[in-house]
Amino acid sequence: MDVELQINNSVNAAARFVGWTPAPCRVRVTNPAGTSASTVSVRLSSATPPGGSGAVQFRSGTSGAFADTLTLSLPTAGNSVPFFLAGKNGQSSTTPAGVTIEARAGSTLVGSVNVMVRVRKDATTLTDAERDRFVSALAQLNNQGLGRFRDFRNMHVVAADPEMHRNVGFLSWHRAYLLDLERELQAIDASVALPYWRFDRPAPSIFTLDFLGVSDSNGTVQFGPNNPLRFWTTDSSPGVDRRLLFNRTTGTPPGIRSESDTIDLGGNPAMFATFRRMEGNPHGTAHVGFVGYIDHPDTAPKDPLFFLLHCNVDRLWAKWQQQNSRFNPATAGSFDNSATRIGHRLNDTMWPWNLSTTPPRPAFVPPGGTLAPSPIVTAPGLSPRVVDLIDYPGVAGTTPLGFDYDDVPI
Amino acid sequence: MAKKKKSSRPTKRSTSRKKPPAARGSSPRVKPGAKQPATPPAYRIAADKGKSTAVRRQALADDPSRLCESTTGFQSMLSLLLDTSETLDVRLGVLDALNAARFSDPNFDACRAKYIAALRKLAEDSDPSLRERALGVLARDQDGLAQKLLIAGLKNPDQALVPVEKALQLLKYDIHSDAYPLARKIVAQPPNALAKQEALRLLSADPDSVPLLEKILRDKHEPVEARQICAAALNANNPTQYLAQARELVIDSDENPDIQSMSLTALTYFGGKQLAADKALYERVEAMSKHSPNKTKAVAKQFLEKYR
């Protein structure tokens, strides 16, 4: 007998990724040989393959406790039976081999599939291999200045500043921006998730020749000879300008607000309207902890560090949301409805993904087109609205966006 | 997906219970004709010369999103920035706060002109670090005056506001053709190694400099750092031409190991399918996969895997 396991309800190998958010899955009998009964009992469990890592858990429905195994009754006629799979909090995969999901009828293995527990991680905790896969994907996306990364650079320019900064939609816009980039990276290497730079702690392992480079005395970043970021090019200019205004091994950007103080910005009861002051400090303060590309809104995305900085900004929002149950936009305090400018109200679409050139949107052709799709989820759609980025784990009844953070449990 | 129950896990909360600040609106906080808001407390502290530098710096970092909330408060910060009797540390703190406000203050547009004017004054300050920081921000703004000052400094060292290598680095943000002859001159007669490297980087945007970049890249007597810059510059200028050079550099077994590693990395990541048919290159990389430092071996194996 054989069964087929579909992770994220797909047979596509590109869909075999889960985070902490429960992923909808299916199992069905594809070859009933060896049984004449109308149903067969199949037990799902997991195992660590050679070179694998991570841990998962199972649940039959949309609620209830997860368990290490799950027994299902499958029609031998081939009808699919749903179940849910999630990574175990704190046990993500560090290797693409991930975890093997096994289906057994009795003691006989009747089906298996490998799944990776993929979440966004603290960049200082990446293994060398994880770091190298991320750097490799990023360098390929840049492709010596000729690649798709140009669109990401061109989205974040001063002419488009009102779409993304200094207003209520700042966090939603940047969440969409990061998601778009991450999906493009995953189209190159599906095992990659965007790491974050935890800027309120020293992070010496990020500023190294093998990762995001070491600045020389003139503030030009040096990369190791085998680091493909050596060929990083933006605006036809090679390299990255970045000088740290803090000690590379022991310091943090001057005056940066700690994580706990950032979470507390929201107050009690937690209100997004006050939490979003984090756009000033720690977000702005992190940017100006350097001299170089990243200290200016127009040139900031020319430095790859920008995406790790903003990944941490987004993680802080995610953590605040999780700690205060602020995923439902209808809940008071989950959002701030004071915006008057288009692009910042809940049901406004966001530039550039809405492809709009109607004033007051920027007059130039929106770079990059619609938001990158995902093989594992359908949200937030090709032209997301501000509201579509709020409930990222899908706990308030929407479809998840397909990412989680290592230290933000769901 | 069906609606989920909220998690019953206790949420982690900080033990700090600071009084929440007032909610911030999304529109500029000062409407025309309205009474001017008072200077936010943090900026009153920052302006207080009786407080320690550390306290003033922390106050400046507290909330950049409010820097332009009050005209009086903003003006006091500009005065502090340009006050040559003030400590350098505080002045740099003000500059950081202003730069952070660009990212976050909803009222920043109203302050922008005065901010730029202040930076232009700072570009000619007596303190070199302030000059360099101001010119950096202005260069990234593609400010015409900053360009003129930088070019003037390269033409006449007596007028230089920043070191040569810094001027070249900043001119890159808005390259005008008059920068290229200056950069080529500096390559030929560099005051120091960093200046030569920055000049080469600047020339990556000049199609006429391709022969110069190739020449330095292939010259084994040139410093490795300069050759590596030329590799990146040539790659930015003409990737196809660079990859052709990279192939030659990998095949040459007498070549510097770092140059070879860098070249092999380029071919591995950005080379085309035609490399699979390049027998001489493949054999050379096979040898490198066995007899090189570990990191180069790893890239060599990636190459062999890709072009098998």
Side-chain angles (χ1 to χ4, degrees), chain A residues 149 152-157 177 232 234 287 293-294 296-307:
Chain A
F149 184 81
F152 291 97
R153 185 266 173 278
N154 291 335
M155 286 180 203
H156 196 284
V157 292
Y177 186 44
W232 184 264
T234 52
H287 270 280
Y293 289 168
I294 204 165
H296 191 292
D298 194 73
T299 55
K302 286 161 61 75
D303 185 339
L305 177 66
F306 170 94
F307 295 94

Side-chain angles (χ1 to χ4, degrees), chain B residues 93-250:
Chain B
V94 175
L95 184 58
D96 287 345
L98 285 164
N99 291 341
R102 283 191 89 142
F103 284 95
S104 58
D105 193 326
N107 296 298
F108 188 80
D109 284 345
C111 302
R112 186 188 303 274
K114 287 189 176 173
Y115 162 72
I116 295 295
L119 288 177
R120 286 174 170 177
K121 283 187 187 156
L122 209 63
E124 298 186 88
D125 194 271
S126 58
D127 184 273
S129 57
L130 285 169
R131 291 200 301 268
E132 189 172 304
R133 294 281 305 270
L135 281 165
V137 177
L138 289 169
R140 288 186 271 288
D141 242 27
Q142 299 189 345
D143 183 77
L145 176 65
Q147 281 271 328
K148 285 188 183 137
L149 291 172
L150 292 167
I151 294 265
L154 286 179
K155 285 179 176 171
N156 184 351
D158 288 344
Q159 292 180 29
L161 297 168
V162 292
V164 171
E165 57 271 21
K166 181 56 67 176
L168 289 164
Q169 186 190 64
L170 297 183
L171 281 168
K172 230 180 36 270
Y173 290 102
D174 187 18
I175 297 174
H176 295 269
S177 55
D178 49 354
Y180 294 144
L182 287 169
R184 280 189 224 111
K185 197 172 159 194
I186 288 164
V187 170
Q189 289 180 298
N192 62 66
L194 281 177
K196 182 170 179 174
Q197 288 166 28
E198 290 297 339
L200 290 167
R201 275 182 80 198
L202 193 150
L203 290 173
S204 68
D206 176 26
D208 293 339
S209 289
V210 166
L212 173 64
L213 296 172
E214 282 186 315
K215 177 173 169 292
I216 294 176
L217 173 61
R218 298 304 300 269
D219 186 346
K220 293 178 186 176
H221 297 105
E222 287 278 356
V224 169
E225 294 79 10
R227 297 179 70 196
Q228 289 174 332
I229 296 279
C230 284
L234 185 60
N235 182 61
N237 195 316
N238 190 326
T240 306
Q241 201 140 341
Y242 169 63
L243 288 174
Q245 293 286 356
R247 179 203 180 271
E248 299 302 313
L249 292 166
V250 169

Side-chain angles (χ1 to χ4, degrees), chain A residues 136 144 166-167 210 217-218 220 238 241 257 264 274 276-277 279 281 292 295-296 323 338-339 410, chain B residues 9 12 14 16 21 25-26 61-63 103 105 140-141 166 169 172-173 194 198 201 204 235 269 295:
Chain A
S136 170
Q144 312 153 278
R166 304 182 282 127
N167 211 327
D210 290 330
S217 57
N218 197 39
T220 297
D241 294 348
R257 184 170 269 126
D264 280 349
T274 49
R276 71 180 185 86
R277 278 179 58 206
E279 188 179 3
N281 187 351
D295 77 1
H296 191 292
Q323 290 183 8
S338 64
I410 299 300
Chain B
R9 271 175 250 157
K12 290 180 191 168
S14 164
S16 167
S26 59
D62 180 56
D63 192 354
F103 284 95
D105 193 326
R140 288 186 271 288
D141 242 27
K166 181 56 67 176
Q169 186 190 64
K172 230 180 36 270
Y173 290 102
L194 281 177
E198 290 297 339
R201 275 182 80 198
S204 68
N235 182 61
Y269 281 90
K295 285 186 183 144

